[in-house]
Amino acid sequence: STDQANFFVALIAVQSLDGFMTRRDEPGTDFASPEDQQWFRKILSQFDAVIMGAETYRAAKAIIRKSLTPDRPKYILTRNPEAFTSESVAGQLIFSNQTPEALLQTLRIQNRNRIALVGGAQTNARFLQANCVTQLWLTLEPVLFGQGTPLAPVEHPIQLKLLSTEQLGPSTLLLKYEILL
């Protein structure tokens, strides 16, 4: 697990009020309010690295590739990094099959201590189950989907402590939680 004094991993997500990050089986977060999208872009600039799964990368590939920068590398977790060899950008877009613990150790060695974990569901669950998440920052949008992709299909309950609430828009809330280990 992580030394929380110097190392910080925030799982950042947007979801419907009934707990889904996507609408049915449609990829992407186009349901996110303009206020959440603006907040998300601004907040990412405060992190040293960004981690996501391959499905999240595929869903937002054009945006991700336009925003590459060496001071905030993006790590894409995939079972098959070789399949993305032609898409990798040295020091900026890295495809990896490391475990959450191993990837965070790599980032710590590189002195990258503020990490944004931005999905998807399987990647979120892997990091939560490995006790590798410090906080959960969750935007709740005023919509019900009925079905879709859950935040993190974890195998055991994870306790959270509410740290703060912020109203991003007329009906959009940002909740910040500490993960209790």
Side-chain angles (χ1 to χ4, degrees), residues 6 8 43 58 63 70 72 83 102 106 114 134-135:
N6 303 326
F8 181 80
I43 206 73
R58 282 188 195 100
I63 296 164
R72 193 174 318 100
T106 298
R114 287 185 54 83
T134 313
Q135 291 185 11

Side-chain angles (χ1 to χ4, degrees), residues 1-3 7 104-113:
S1 94
T2 57
D3 170 9
F7 200 75
L104 293 178
Q105 190 57 40
T106 298
L107 291 170
R108 187 178 285 145
I109 290 166
Q110 297 172 2
N111 205 26
R112 297 190 183 280
N113 297 315

